[in-house]
Amino acid sequence: MFLRVDKLQIELPAPTQVDPNAGAALQELLGGKYGEMSTLGNYLFQSFNFRSKSKLKPFYGLVAAITAEELGHVELVSNGVAMLNNGPDLEGADEKDGGDISGAPYEAMKDIRLAGAFFSNAGGAMPMNSNGSSWNMNFVTTTGNVIVDLLHNFHLECGARLHKLRVYESLTDPTGREVCGYLLVRGSVHAHAYALAIKNLTGIEIEKMLPTPNIYLGNIPECQKYLDEGSHRRLYTFSPEDYKDIAGIWGQGETALPGDPPGELEVIEGMPDGGKIHQLSGVPSAFTPDYAPEEMMEIAAKLYKASR
C-alpha cells in the first residue's frame, strides 16, 4: 500500500514569469523515455512481479522503496510544469469572475509549443514528453530476472541523468532548474544503489562507471544544498516500518561516489522532511476550478468548518 502526505519532497521556488515553453521542456522529465513516469513504471511493476520476495528481501525492498520515491518525483515534476505554465500567483485571481473573455486572454497559446496543455489541461502536467507524445507502457521493462532488471534500472537511471542535465541546460527559470538539480542528486543515488545491488549479486563493480554522464553534481549550483545536507548519501525507505533490509545493500561501509562530498551511505527510515506545495491560483476565464469561484470558496469554507 502507499501512504500519501500533503507535501512535495522539496519546496520549489516560485516562477519568475509565465513560461509555458519551459513547462514543455520540463514535460520531458515527466513523460519522456527516461522521465519519471518511466522510472516509476519500471520499478512499480518490477516490485509487483518480483519473485521470492521474502528470500530476496533486500533486493525486493530496494526496488519497492525507490518506487515510492518515484511517485513523489512524478508529483514534483508535475507541480514544476504547472507552476511554469501558470507563472507567479496573482493576488485574489481565484476570487474574481472571468472578466472580458472577448479580449482573448489565451492569445499567446497559438505560438506555444504545447498549446494542448492549456486547451485540454488548463496549464497542468500530463504523462507526455516535451513534444506532446504520450508516455506508454513500452518504456517499462520487467523480465522476472533480478539481475537483468537491476541492470536495466542502472541504465535507466544513467539515461535519466543525461536527460535531466540536457533539460537543465535549456532552462533559466529557478522553478525548473530546482526540479532538475534535486532530481540529478536523487537519480545519482538510485543509479548508485542499483550498481551496489548488482555488485552484491555478481561481484562486478559496475558503480565504477559512475558518474554517468561524466559531470559532477558540484558543478550545478542547484545541486549544492542537497549535497551539503547529505542527500547524495541517503536512501529512504518511504515506509514507517518496512524495507529496512536495504541497509544490507546501501550501507555496510560503502561511501559516496568520488567527487561528491565524502561520507558513508545511510538508510533513513521514513521519508524526507519535504516542503509545502505551491498553491496555483484559479483562472476563472478558463473555468478552473469552475465558473463561480466565490460559490465554491463559500461551500469549501462551510465543509472545512463542519469538519473541525
Side-chain angles (χ1 to χ4, degrees):
M1 296 186 290
F2 294 97
L3 173 69
R4 185 161 185 175
V5 178
D6 194 19
K7 290 183 177 181
L8 295 179
Q9 287 182 15
I10 59 168
E11 187 168 334
L12 295 177
T16 57
Q17 60 183 345
V18 176
D19 194 348
N21 281 333
L26 206 60
Q27 276 282 167
E28 191 69 26
L29 300 190
L30 185 60
K33 181 176 180 179
Y34 293 101
E36 301 302 332
M37 285 294 298
S38 289
T39 50
L40 171 62
N42 276 268
Y43 312 153
L44 183 70
F45 286 97
Q46 286 176 15
S47 67
F48 290 165
N49 297 330
F50 206 100
R51 306 298 180 95
S52 304
K53 288 183 173 74
S54 59
K55 294 178 180 178
L56 299 176
K57 203 170 182 182
F59 301 100
Y60 163 64
L62 181 69
V63 177
I66 295 178
T67 295
E69 180 167 356
E70 295 297 348
L71 273 167
H73 288 183
V74 169
E75 183 179 33
L76 183 70
V77 177
S78 295
N79 274 260
V81 169
M83 290 166 70
L84 288 167
N85 284 343
N86 290 276
D89 280 343
L90 301 176
E91 188 69 29
D94 55 4
E95 299 169 3
K96 302 175 182 177
D97 62 27
D100 180 12
I101 61 172
S102 66
Y106 273 179
E107 180 186 12
M109 288 307 106
K110 68 180 186 297
D111 299 319
I112 295 301
R113 188 197 318 181
L114 280 181
F118 288 81
F119 298 147
S120 298
N121 313 321
M126 287 290 283
M128 59 186 178
N129 69 11
S130 54
N131 290 323
S133 297
S134 297
W135 181 86
N136 68 85
M137 54 88 51
N138 291 326
F139 296 150
V140 175
T141 294
T142 171
T143 68
N145 182 302
V146 176
I147 295 174
V148 171
D149 283 352
L150 290 172
L151 189 59
H152 170 78
N153 296 352
F154 177 76
H155 154 77
L156 182 60
E157 292 289 353
C158 289
R161 182 181 171 86
L162 182 60
H163 201 224
K164 293 176 179 70
L165 181 64
R166 289 171 174 168
V167 172
Y168 173 88
E169 291 174 339
S170 75
L171 300 173
T172 57
D173 194 281
T175 304
R177 286 203 150 200
E178 191 74 17
V179 170
C180 293
Y182 178 71
L183 293 181
L184 276 164
V185 173
R186 297 307 300 167
S188 179
V189 168
H190 296 168
H192 193 183
Y194 288 129
L196 293 177
I198 292 168
K199 181 166 72 171
N200 275 277
L201 285 168
T202 68
I204 296 172
E205 297 179 329
I206 198 170
E207 78 276 10
K208 290 185 176 179
M209 292 178 62
L210 295 168
T212 304
N214 189 21
I215 182 170
Y216 293 112
L217 298 177
N219 292 340
I220 301 172
E222 289 79 5
C223 292
Q224 198 59 53
K225 64 174 172 290
Y226 303 113
L227 296 175
D228 291 344
E229 71 185 24
S231 184
H232 63 295
R233 296 185 291 104
R234 297 174 183 167
L235 195 59
Y236 298 90
T237 64
F238 280 88
S239 173
E241 297 180 2
D242 297 320
Y243 312 127
K244 298 175 184 178
D245 312 78
I246 62 177
I249 298 171
W250 188 262
Q252 307 302 308
E254 296 282 1
T255 59
L257 294 171
D260 290 343
E264 291 194 7
L265 308 184
E266 57 179 338
V267 170
I268 306 296
E269 295 178 17
M271 59 192 176
D273 293 336
K276 69 178 182 180
I277 298 178
H278 184 80
Q279 301 292 310
L280 293 173
S281 296
V283 185
S285 63
F287 287 77
T288 57
D290 203 355
Y291 72 98
E294 68 283 356
E295 291 182 10
M296 298 195 71
M297 301 293 183
E298 182 181 348
I299 293 168
K302 288 180 180 177
L303 293 174
Y304 179 79
K305 184 178 180 180
S307 72
R308 296 299 91 188

